[in-house]
Amino acid sequence: MQFTEIESVCTYCGVGCDIVAHVKDNTIHKITADKDGVVSQGKLCIKGKYGYEFVTSRERIRKPRIARRFLQANPHIEKAISPSLNSLDDEWFTTDLPSAIKAASMKLKQTRQIYGDESFCAIGGARTSCESAYLFQKFTREAMGSPHVDNCARVCHSPSLKGMRATIGEGAATNPYNDIYESEFILVIGSNTTEAHPIVANRIIDAARMNDNVAVIDVREIKMMKYAKHRAVIPYEANLLVLNMMAHVILKEELFNKKFVQNRTSGFEDYRKKILEDPYADPDFFKNIAGYEHLATLIPTIAREYALKKSMIFWGLGVTEHIDGSYAVMAITHLALLTGNIGKTGAGLMPLRGQNNVQGACDMGCLPYYAPDYQEPEKIGSMTPQLIDAMIDGKIKALLNMGEDIAHIHPNQNKIEKALRQLDFIMVQELFMTEIAQRADIVIGVKSAYEKEGVYVNAMRRLHLSQPLVESDLPDDWEVLKMLENEMRGDYSYESSEDIWNEVREVAHQRFSGASYLRLKRHRKRGLQWPVYIEDTPVLHLLDFRTDDGLGRFVYRQWKLRGMVEELRSGGIEEGYYLTTGRTLPQYNNAAQTMQSEKLAKRYEEDILYASEEDEARLGGSEKVVLKSAYGNSAPLRLKFSEKIMPGTLFVTFHHAKSRINYLFGDESDELVLTAAFKSVKVDIQPV
């Protein structure tokens, strides 16, 4: 067969791989890596390679749906659009797009009139293009007059943004991926990189094989440790503890870069005094933590090598999804500031973003406390957990949800179910009938990333202009928002995604002014790393940090004794288990796309619970168990035992909604930005 080959960008994780689709008769027959791809390096993970069948799935939402219960509760809306309604099943009507938009407009106008502008909120934006994310926040703030807009960074890397901006003034990766080959030492902490960001992991493994220069810190033995020089399995909730210990060693042994600290930082003396006087920052603390005594010597070894070499640090949600996630990120940046491992090739900081455009959504202003370009908005809105509380309190009455399954991937699902029931109106823009879509009043099917043009920003700030692999008559997300705004006000005249992007270049000029579609098309393989003026910027902070005075800041936070460490220090874990969650390679987040791709779906059809082999006798040989926390229960889970898991701890993935994993988590969250503490919860195990 003769295929048309079309270049674009992968629609899954934040690595942002270059892909080539082999297309015939408007159907994708195969996806391969671009042989010359700067990001993919000619390789793809199995999601990028096989995860495209969702595009033609029979489960796609092809026509807008309106819930019967919504029309029964709003007879004036039913009357206005009744000629367009067609019965789908006992719960839904289908309709045409203009009628769905009209119904949504009527309800939103009514809600604002009765309850005010701030009764509306919008959540989503990281699973679509920058153009749609930009219009999403603009519609919320300007058309609806509400400051309440948020995206999925709330449950992943908001602490990275907060911690990095507090210390170096910018919340994004400092270097390109290929700097891995220029680095002399690499620290990976809280990132199961081979599963979650495999094409970045390939580079790290290459470096490890060539130079034996990788250290891995995690709460369990992960695959990356197979290639590591130093392997540190640490207790749950101990990231900040360990990172402060590394800094303590560097300061006590005077391994810090005195010239860099003097010329490019502020607050050092106060920071040094506090950390050297902190009993929790001394690595000898681990000598009294049963099962982890070896860390008292291993942590100083890692710290010394990091300090004395040109080094990079990579981290993921294993760092950010804790009550002290933001402070742990600050501790990571402190290490870079102490040693001068920032602002040069081969040395820097890399938060591994999870979604394909979560960096872009934040850049576009899909956050309650940042407008586009991280400017201060006219009014600061509420973060998602606060919005959930406001729904329960009756202050939020309407929700616009774009590509984020808050009824699956967010914590405390019992509470979220209660909150969603309190709403008068939910509108969802989606590909499939996800958990939140099933609870919606109006659902509008939209184009996937493989069916539209738009800019995506990956984890290393790289802008990639995607192009459609196949044609679709579904609307893009921004087109739905344009229609909705025009039905309500009539101010949006955008004719293409490029029209919106040109506005982005003006509004967010500090990062995107020079990134025209023309240049992005010309540099489709390489991409451009923001900020883009005349040229782009592969490495940040070469001369100054992006703070008011150009100096990096030390902001010390002492670790708080709690949880697993406190129990171990007091004699051991007497009852219950510490559970953490994570991803597996074949599935992606809520599995909406991957479960529609047969080659991926059959590889991991259920979430599996892993426990330590040492706990096998204690657990009584049950094949399936239910997890129970203070907040809720999981569904029955298949139990497997592994030597990679520490005694008293558990690991489970969260991809399948039927597993009810996120019913186990409560409101415990990062102290500064409310990112859920998904990486540690105490549970009991009940045999099925």
Side-chain angles (χ1 to χ4, degrees):
M1 296 178 68
Q2 294 297 313
F3 296 111
T4 300
E5 295 185 1
I6 304 172
E7 296 176 350
S8 196
V9 61
C10 179
T11 188
Y12 288 102
C13 77
V15 175
C17 286
D18 321 86
I19 62 172
V20 176
H22 302 253
V23 178
K24 185 175 177 63
D25 298 330
N26 204 40
T27 301
I28 302 170
H29 290 265
K30 182 171 69 171
I31 284 182
T32 58
D34 191 323
K35 293 178 182 178
D36 301 321
V38 171
V39 173
S40 62
Q41 295 184 314
K43 300 176 183 177
L44 291 178
C45 79
I46 58 174
K47 289 190 290 292
K49 190 173 183 179
Y50 299 121
Y52 58 84
E53 292 175 335
F54 72 88
V55 175
T56 53
S57 169
R58 293 181 180 179
E59 301 297 319
R60 284 288 296 274
I61 304 166
R62 300 292 178 184
K63 295 181 179 180
R65 301 183 184 188
I66 300 183
R68 291 178 181 271
R69 51 177 165 68
F70 172 74
L71 294 175
Q72 290 169 1
N74 296 274
H76 65 294
I77 295 177
E78 181 175 20
K79 182 178 180 181
I81 64 168
S82 59
S84 71
L85 297 175
N86 294 289
S87 179
L88 178 65
D89 54 31
D90 291 341
E91 295 185 45
W92 300 95
F93 286 105
T94 59
T95 187
D96 55 58
L97 183 57
S99 297
I101 294 296
K102 183 175 183 178
S105 171
M106 291 175 69
K107 187 61 181 178
L108 288 174
K109 286 178 180 177
Q110 181 188 57
T111 303
R112 292 178 73 188
Q113 187 175 12
I114 297 173
Y115 300 106
D117 293 349
E118 293 192 27
S119 65
F120 172 84
C121 71
I123 301 173
R127 295 296 300 148
T128 188
S129 65
C130 285
E131 294 85 344
S132 291
Y134 171 79
L135 209 61
F136 187 66
Q137 62 81 33
K138 181 178 180 179
F139 173 81
T140 303
R141 288 186 163 113
E142 297 181 11
M144 296 300 295
S146 173
H148 304 314
V149 61
D150 209 351
N151 80 84
C152 74
R154 187 64 47 217
V155 289
C156 60
H157 271 287
S158 285
S160 294
L161 177 61
K162 181 68 176 179
M164 295 177 79
R165 285 185 68 89
T167 49
I168 57 176
E170 185 67 88
T174 60
N175 299 61
Y177 301 143
N178 283 351
D179 272 23
I180 289 169
Y181 300 120
E182 306 295 327
S183 184
E184 296 171 350
F185 186 70
I186 297 166
L187 172 60
V188 179
I189 178 169
S191 166
N192 188 10
T193 325
T194 57
E195 301 287 318
H197 302 91
I199 302 303
V200 170
N202 287 346
R203 288 170 167 85
I204 297 174
I205 292 169
D206 287 345
R209 285 172 169 160
M210 288 187 295
N211 305 313
D212 192 23
N213 64 344
V214 173
V216 179
I217 301 174
D218 211 292
V219 297
R220 62 192 177 106
E221 187 177 336
I222 58 174
K223 186 176 180 180
M224 184 63 77
M225 287 184 178
K226 176 181 176 183
Y227 308 97
K229 179 178 182 179
H230 306 299
R231 309 169 185 87
V233 177
I234 65 173
Y236 284 44
E237 300 179 65
N239 293 313
L240 180 58
L241 175 67
V242 169
L243 292 162
N244 282 345
M245 287 177 177
M246 288 182 63
H248 185 280
V249 171
I250 291 167
L251 289 165
K252 186 177 180 181
E253 300 182 9
E254 297 198 358
L255 303 176
F256 59 94
N257 186 325
K258 296 179 178 63
K259 184 177 180 180
F260 189 93
V261 168
Q262 182 179 354
N263 293 337
R264 296 200 57 184
T265 71
S266 64
F268 170 73
E269 290 301 334
D270 181 60
Y271 168 77
R272 175 162 65 173
K273 182 176 184 292
K274 287 179 178 177
I275 201 165
L276 291 177
E277 293 176 353
D278 182 356
Y280 295 133
D282 189 335
D284 284 348
F285 175 80
F286 271 115
K287 289 181 177 178
N288 298 313
I289 306 300
Y292 297 88
E293 296 90 345
H294 65 289
L295 294 176
T297 55
L298 181 54
I299 290 169
T301 300
I302 295 172
R304 292 177 192 122
E305 193 158 359
Y306 173 81
L308 295 173
K309 293 183 176 180
K310 188 166 64 171
S311 304
M312 298 183 74
I313 303 180
F314 293 77
W315 71 94
L317 306 190
V319 166
T320 60
E321 291 181 341
H322 289 281
I323 63 172
D324 53 11
S326 292
Y327 291 114
V329 173
M330 292 179 201
I332 287 172
T333 60
H334 291 157
L335 294 175
L337 294 174
L338 281 174
T339 58
N341 272 312
I342 191 169
K344 57 188 177 184
T345 300
L349 303 170
M350 179 69 73
L352 290 169
R353 297 281 189 167
Q355 302 259 24
N356 64 332
N357 199 38
V358 66
Q359 179 69 59
C362 295
D363 298 341
M364 295 302 107
C366 285
L367 291 165
Y369 37 74
Y370 288 126
D373 230 3
Y374 301 97
Q375 301 301 302
E376 185 174 338
E378 289 186 13
K379 185 169 185 179
I380 293 176
S382 297
M383 295 175 271
T384 300
Q386 296 168 326
L387 294 174
I388 298 300
D389 288 336
M391 292 174 193
I392 292 174
D393 293 341
K395 296 176 182 176
I396 296 290
K397 289 293 185 180
L399 165 67
L400 174 61
N401 185 276
M402 186 170 74
E404 182 170 351
D405 195 355
I406 65 169
H408 176 182
I409 66 167
H410 284 249
N412 208 344
Q413 282 295 322
N414 281 315
K415 181 178 181 180
I416 287 180
E417 281 190 2
K418 179 181 178 182
L420 295 176
R421 287 196 296 267
Q422 302 298 316
L423 293 174
D424 284 359
F425 181 59
I426 302 174
M427 175 174 157
V428 171
Q429 297 174 210
E430 256 298 353
L431 308 183
F432 300 99
M433 291 301 292
T434 59
E435 296 298 307
I436 185 61
Q438 292 174 38
R439 292 160 173 78
D441 298 296
I442 295 178
V443 183
I444 296 179
V446 292
K447 289 178 178 175
S448 73
Y450 289 161
E451 297 162 313
K452 62 189 181 185
E453 185 174 48
V455 175
Y456 294 82
V457 186
N458 76 351
M460 67 177 194
R461 298 175 284 108
R462 178 197 189 233
L463 283 71
H464 188 122
L465 180 62
S466 73
Q467 56 184 331
L469 306 182
V470 291
E471 296 178 2
S472 170
D473 58 3
L474 291 170
D476 199 342
D477 283 298
W478 69 263
E479 292 176 303
V480 174
L481 294 167
K482 173 190 172 181
M483 291 179 68
L484 186 56
E485 195 277 343
N486 284 343
E487 185 72 25
M488 299 180 73
R489 298 199 314 173
D491 288 348
Y492 290 174
S493 58
Y494 310 106
E495 294 299 325
S496 66
S497 59
E498 186 173 9
D499 288 347
I500 301 173
W501 184 248
N502 286 334
E503 182 173 313
V504 169
R505 291 170 58 207
E506 294 179 8
V507 173
H509 59 89
Q510 294 181 60
R511 285 165 178 77
F512 304 112
S513 60
S516 67
Y517 263 35
L518 177 63
R519 289 185 72 186
L520 290 169
K521 288 175 182 177
R522 224 171 55 226
H523 300 293
R524 198 185 297 276
K525 274 190 170 65
R526 178 186 175 274
L528 298 170
Q529 286 180 263
W530 67 247
V532 185
Y533 305 113
I534 297 173
E535 296 181 350
D536 69 336
T537 315
V539 180
L540 292 178
H541 314 300
L542 293 171
L543 300 174
D544 291 296
F545 294 106
R546 297 169 75 87
T547 55
D548 292 340
D549 57 8
L551 299 176
R553 304 187 187 100
F554 290 98
V555 187
Y556 187 61
R557 179 71 168 193
Q558 184 182 49
W559 177 79
K560 294 179 181 178
L561 180 64
R562 65 186 189 275
M564 185 176 178
V565 176
E566 185 173 23
E567 283 202 63
L568 291 172
R569 194 184 187 205
S570 302
I573 303 171
E574 294 186 0
E575 57 183 41
Y577 297 82
Y578 284 91
L579 172 73
T580 195
T581 64
R583 293 175 178 165
T584 187
L585 182 58
Q587 295 289 0
Y588 187 73
N589 279 23
N590 68 344
Q593 293 177 181
T594 46
M595 282 302 290
Q596 299 295 332
S597 302
E598 184 180 357
K599 289 181 180 179
L600 299 179
K602 66 184 181 183
R603 287 174 182 250
Y604 197 80
E605 296 178 328
E606 61 179 336
D607 291 308
I608 298 170
L609 177 68
Y610 287 90
S612 170
E613 288 181 349
E614 296 182 39
D615 288 327
E616 187 168 0
R618 180 182 169 194
L619 291 171
S622 300
E623 183 181 345
K624 282 202 170 186
V625 297
V626 168
L627 299 179
K628 183 177 182 180
S629 74
Y631 309 100
N633 299 347
S634 74
L637 301 168
R638 191 173 306 281
L639 176 63
K640 291 187 177 181
F641 296 95
S642 170
E643 62 180 7
K644 311 294 186 185
I645 308 293
M646 293 293 285
T649 71
L650 305 167
F651 171 80
V652 70
T653 53
F654 58 88
H655 299 294
H656 300 282
K658 64 184 180 183
S659 302
R660 295 171 59 91
I661 300 302
N662 288 344
Y663 286 78
L664 297 167
F665 297 93
D667 287 343
E668 285 81 6
S669 61
D670 180 86
E671 295 176 13
L672 301 180
V673 292
L674 303 186
T675 294
F678 281 123
K679 297 307 178 187
S680 181
V681 65
K682 196 73 178 288
V683 296
D684 292 320
I685 293 180
Q686 298 178 340
V688 175

